[in-house]
Amino acid sequence: MKFKAILPCLFLALSLISMAAHPVAAAYPDKPVSMIIAFTAGGSSDVQARIMQKYWDKYVKEPWVFVYKPGAGGIIGFTEIAKANPDGYTIGGLNVPHLVLQSLAQRASFNADSFEYIAQVVNDPQCIAVLKSSKFKSFKDIIDAAKASPNAVRVGLVGPLSGHHLMFLEFNKLFPDVKLSRVFYKGAADQNAALLGGEVDLIFGNINDVMRSIDEFNVLNVAAEKRNDFLPDVPTLREQNVNLVSDIRRIFAAPKGTPADKMAFLRETFKKICNDPGYLADMKKAGQPAEYLDGAATAAYIRSVEEKDKALLSEAGLLK
């Protein structure tokens, strides 16, 4: 009888010893996750990530801690993401084609293989914008002025080696006798401010960035296959017989080597966010062109643009 009486206590003791020897792993994440933004606060990348944060908090207990590393068209921030500890507690935003251009032309310390891709969340077409008070009322006005006074017309770009810079290179290829004077800025917020302040005459910018100052800006053309829902009355460049299509994709990623179980959690959470009706409504309200691709499709897209961008950089003498 005494032996039977002590059996429960014995089993309990053995269970406690086993738990001590093999502690249960804490659920991921069990602390805040650092979110690296490679552009200035207030720019399009930051605005989009802040919307995403709102819905991350809906699905995940632990918050994001934003870390801003702007400069060099994103290289500084992208490098921080690539070199971070791959423990699942550092993720960040990447822009394509910036990522591809910088790895090819600046011998950046990262390349497309330096990351584990979570998702693409935005496909943001580029456009040509001027102030509403500008003397330029059409794309043709810009071309005529630049031909008449080479390098006198100033165009603001985020860069170098960014999506804006790529559009500038494509423009140069299409119009070799038209000379625009390029001015680079750290981020879209700075680029917008430069146009508003008269530092530049026009910008090649993302639709989302332009939409945040749309009361002051006049968008002349969109560099897209078709007209954009946010600017339905603005013609595409192709409608002006200019074969120029250019966009910037916003992607989230973790450092290469992040454990598979944590990547699976991140990918599933981002998928939930990107399909959340509230998130989609907030994105539309903010002028953010939402387009979701999962991690595998994102990686495949990046591979698809590498050769095209490499050829363009080579033609411009920028390939290293």
Side-chain angles (χ1 to χ4, degrees):
M1 294 294 292
K2 288 183 179 180
F3 179 73
K4 289 182 179 180
I6 66 171
L7 273 178
C9 295
L10 182 60
F11 286 138
L12 177 60
L14 289 172
S15 296
L16 291 173
I17 291 170
S18 178
M19 289 174 65
H22 304 283
V24 177
Y28 169 77
D30 63 351
K31 62 181 181 179
V33 175
S34 293
M35 168 59 74
I36 296 176
I37 302 297
F39 298 94
T40 48
S44 186
S45 295
D46 181 42
V47 169
Q48 193 284 325
R50 291 288 178 177
I51 296 172
M52 198 138 227
Q53 177 195 32
K54 174 181 174 181
Y55 292 89
W56 170 274
D57 291 346
K58 174 180 175 179
Y59 294 108
V60 184
K61 181 180 178 181
E62 294 293 341
W64 287 347
V65 176
F66 279 76
V67 181
Y68 294 95
K69 296 290 182 179
I75 288 179
I76 294 172
F78 300 163
T79 301
E80 288 284 325
I81 299 166
K83 291 189 173 182
N85 184 0
D87 60 358
Y89 288 94
T90 299
I91 61 177
L94 303 173
N95 286 21
V96 174
H98 306 48
L99 168 67
V100 174
L101 299 177
Q102 292 159 5
S103 65
L104 290 172
Q106 281 196 333
R107 294 182 180 174
S109 58
F110 58 80
N111 58 35
D113 294 323
S114 300
F115 307 95
E116 306 282 359
Y117 297 102
I118 301 170
Q120 173 190 291
V121 298
V122 164
N123 179 349
D124 196 356
Q126 297 196 76
C127 61
I128 300 173
V130 298
L131 288 176
K132 285 188 173 177
S133 59
S134 172
K135 64 182 180 180
F136 301 131
K137 305 302 180 185
S138 68
F139 181 76
K140 183 177 183 299
D141 289 344
I142 295 171
I143 298 297
D144 290 345
K147 284 182 176 179
S149 301
N151 296 312
V153 178
R154 301 158 299 171
V155 55
L157 313 166
V158 174
L161 296 175
S162 65
H164 299 167
H165 192 186
L166 185 66
M167 182 172 169
F168 180 77
L169 295 177
E170 291 180 297
F171 174 91
N172 288 344
K173 183 178 179 180
L174 289 171
F175 299 95
D177 58 337
V178 176
K179 306 299 181 184
L180 298 177
S181 179
R182 72 187 186 195
V183 184
F184 287 125
Y185 295 94
K186 285 186 177 182
D190 306 312
Q191 181 193 35
N192 276 14
L195 183 55
L196 290 168
E199 291 180 18
V200 293
D201 302 297
L202 67 139
I203 60 173
F204 291 169
N206 308 87
I207 284 181
N208 174 251
D209 295 316
V210 169
M211 290 300 294
R212 289 184 288 115
S213 298
I214 198 63
D215 290 340
E216 291 84 15
F217 290 173
N218 180 26
V219 180
L220 302 179
N221 295 101
V222 176
E225 298 278 359
K226 61 181 182 179
R227 294 195 181 196
N228 189 268
D229 290 343
F230 290 110
L231 297 165
D233 297 326
V234 176
T236 67
L237 283 168
R238 282 189 167 178
E239 289 178 65
Q240 310 297 308
N241 297 314
V242 179
N243 189 26
L244 178 53
V245 174
S246 184
D247 59 49
I248 292 177
R249 311 291 180 102
R250 293 194 181 85
I251 289 164
F252 286 94
K256 190 73 172 179
T258 299
D261 59 335
K262 293 178 179 178
M263 288 304 304
F265 176 89
L266 290 167
R267 287 168 177 154
E268 181 59 29
T269 302
F270 272 67
K271 183 178 180 180
K272 288 179 183 177
I273 293 170
C274 289
N275 286 303
D276 190 300
Y279 165 81
L280 292 171
D282 284 350
M283 288 284 283
K284 185 175 182 180
K285 184 178 179 180
Q288 290 274 356
E291 183 179 277
Y292 170 76
L293 294 177
D294 65 22
T298 298
Y301 169 74
I302 293 170
R303 294 283 182 269
S304 75
V305 300
E306 280 186 306
E307 285 306 312
K308 170 181 172 290
D309 293 350
K310 184 176 181 179
L312 192 60
L313 290 172
S314 179
E315 290 170 9
L318 295 173
L319 195 63
K320 292 185 178 180

